[in-house]
Amino acid sequence: MLDISEVSRRSGLPASTLRYYEEVGLISSAGRRGLRRIFEEAVLTRLSLISLGQAAGFSLTEIGQMLGATGTPSIDREQLVRKADELDRKIRELTALRDGLRHTASCTAPSHLECPTFQRLMRDATTHVVKGRARRAQDRRAAKDKTPK
Amino acid sequence: MLDISEVSRRSGLPASTLRYYEEVGLISSAGRRGLRRIFEEAVLTRLSLISLGQAAGFSLTEIGQMLGATGTPSIDREQLVRKADELDRKIRELTALRDGLRHTASCTAPSHLECPTFQRLMRDATTHVVKGRARRAQDRRAAKDKTPK
DNA sequence: CCTTGACCTCAAGTCGACTTGAAGTGGTAG
DNA sequence: CTACCACTTCAAGTCGACTTGAGGTCAAGG
């Protein structure tokens, strides 16, 4: 049983963030001692998963879904596979970008923008970045229409 | 020479975003026809680079630095290499996360949190996520101290 | 027993990256 | 020539993810 400062110390997250996470249902405390939250050790694992998910570019909402909204961390397998595929795409993008940067750094062409290798890398990598952007914009509009005010 | 709607169409970005990018100095227009902005073709390349950078998790500010604040896209080679290394780290993180997800999806253990493979993947991957978080928090505090109000 | 300080709540603030809306302007089709 | 409408500006709003601050509570040490 850990108090909030202990969780903070061991997770590296400020107490304010832990309270916030509890408020939005990402973690839960095992109860209170007086006013004070007490946490189980398991929360540390959950916090690791959250940080990891964030590093992967998922929103807290998505992470909440992946971890199971309600306490128990039993997860929808199909959803996991979808997320993994998403990550695969992202990794390919980043790899292309990294190669692009490396190439640009060592390319002796007068302007790397003229280099065909660079151009190809870029075009490849950008295609579905834009698609993703368009999709998210669409999602936003759809959400807004459902809640017209 | 393209007008803003043409750039919007070909880049997939709303006109409002293009104006915003110009305002913050990420792109520039070749001039005006009356009130209306006109852009060179080259802006499309630049916009691709910007989207790419975003997909890689860089802020617009960082992207501005990478692309060269002032018009010309000649870039600091050393900075490029640093960014590439950063991407390498991020790619490794994401790969670990992806493997973790895949493993979790197929693991038959009663709870994947008890699976040693999963635990190792997670611990490995989270370590410097937390470091990065701490660093950014530190940066914020430093920036605030310099501009005490 | 009383003070201290780590914890609490709740409202408001911040930051990045845009979007939205109202009100104005001017190139061009009819 | 004039009406239309795509463009413009500028201020304000939004969203996610937190942080900050004021004011309150209570367990433990002196």
Side-chain angles (χ1 to χ4, degrees):
Chain A
M1 291 305 182
L2 313 168
D3 90 342
I4 203 172
S5 61
E6 185 71 9
V7 176
S8 172
R9 201 182 53 69
R10 290 175 56 181
S11 68
L13 299 172
S16 62
T17 302
L18 300 175
R19 289 191 204 101
Y20 174 68
Y21 282 0
E22 192 191 29
E23 190 182 318
V24 300
L26 275 174
I27 61 175
S28 52
S29 54
R32 301 287 183 115
R33 175 185 304 290
L35 273 188
R36 302 175 183 203
R37 287 163 182 82
I38 45 181
F39 295 95
E40 298 169 15
E41 292 263 338
V43 82
L44 293 171
T45 306
R46 200 162 165 103
L47 288 170
S48 294
L49 287 168
I50 293 170
S51 294
L52 203 47
Q54 282 192 296
F58 295 110
S59 69
L60 293 185
T61 308
E62 288 175 310
I63 294 171
Q65 287 164 8
M66 285 195 255
L67 294 182
T70 51
T72 148
S74 88
I75 309 175
D76 174 352
R77 316 233 157 207
E78 203 188 320
Q79 179 151 30
L80 286 184
V81 172
R82 274 197 287 103
K83 293 294 179 185
D85 291 348
E86 229 170 272
L87 275 179
D88 254 344
R89 288 194 294 103
K90 192 169 257 174
I91 288 168
R92 274 199 300 277
E93 254 173 55
L94 293 184
T95 304
L97 178 57
R98 180 203 57 191
D99 292 346
L101 287 180
R102 290 246 156 83
H103 171 83
T104 307
S106 64
C107 183
T108 56
S111 163
H112 23 264
L113 293 179
E114 287 158 18
C115 169
T117 310
F118 184 74
Q119 298 240 346
R120 196 189 48 71
L121 277 170
M122 217 185 53
R123 294 292 167 194
D124 284 3
T126 42
T127 305
H128 69 97
V129 169
V130 170
K131 276 188 203 155
R133 210 188 252 264
R135 185 184 44 70
R136 280 186 301 278
Q138 180 53 50
D139 288 355
R140 260 202 315 285
R141 274 189 296 278
K144 173 167 277 183
D145 288 354
K146 288 206 168 183
T147 322
K149 192 163 181 184
Chain B
M1 291 305 182
L2 314 169
D3 91 340
I4 203 171
S5 60
E6 186 71 7
V7 177
S8 173
R9 201 181 53 69
R10 290 176 55 182
S11 67
L13 299 172
S16 62
T17 301
L18 300 175
R19 290 191 203 99
Y20 173 69
Y21 282 180
E22 192 190 29
E23 191 182 316
V24 300
L26 274 174
I27 62 175
S28 52
S29 55
R32 301 285 184 120
R33 176 185 304 290
L35 273 189
R36 302 172 183 206
R37 288 163 181 82
I38 46 182
F39 295 94
E40 297 168 15
E41 293 262 340
V43 81
L44 293 171
T45 306
R46 201 161 164 103
L47 288 170
S48 293
L49 288 169
I50 293 170
S51 294
L52 203 46
Q54 283 192 295
F58 296 111
S59 70
L60 292 185
T61 309
E62 288 174 310
I63 293 171
Q65 287 163 9
M66 285 193 255
L67 295 182
T70 52
T72 148
S74 88
I75 310 176
D76 174 353
R77 314 234 160 207
E78 202 189 320
Q79 179 151 32
L80 285 184
V81 172
R82 273 195 290 104
K83 294 292 179 184
D85 291 348
E86 228 170 273
L87 275 179
D88 255 344
R89 288 193 295 103
K90 193 170 257 178
I91 289 168
R92 273 198 301 278
E93 254 172 57
L94 266 61
T95 303
L97 178 56
R98 181 203 55 192
D99 292 346
L101 286 180
R102 290 245 156 86
H103 171 82
T104 307
S106 64
C107 183
T108 56
S111 165
H112 23 267
L113 294 179
E114 286 159 19
C115 170
T117 311
F118 184 74
Q119 297 241 346
R120 197 189 47 70
L121 278 169
M122 218 184 53
R123 294 292 166 193
D124 284 4
T126 41
T127 304
H128 68 96
V129 169
V130 170
K131 277 190 205 152
R133 208 187 252 264
R135 187 184 43 70
R136 281 188 299 281
Q138 180 52 48
D139 288 356
R140 261 202 316 285
R141 273 188 297 277
K144 172 165 277 181
D145 288 355
K146 288 206 166 179
T147 321
K149 190 165 179 179

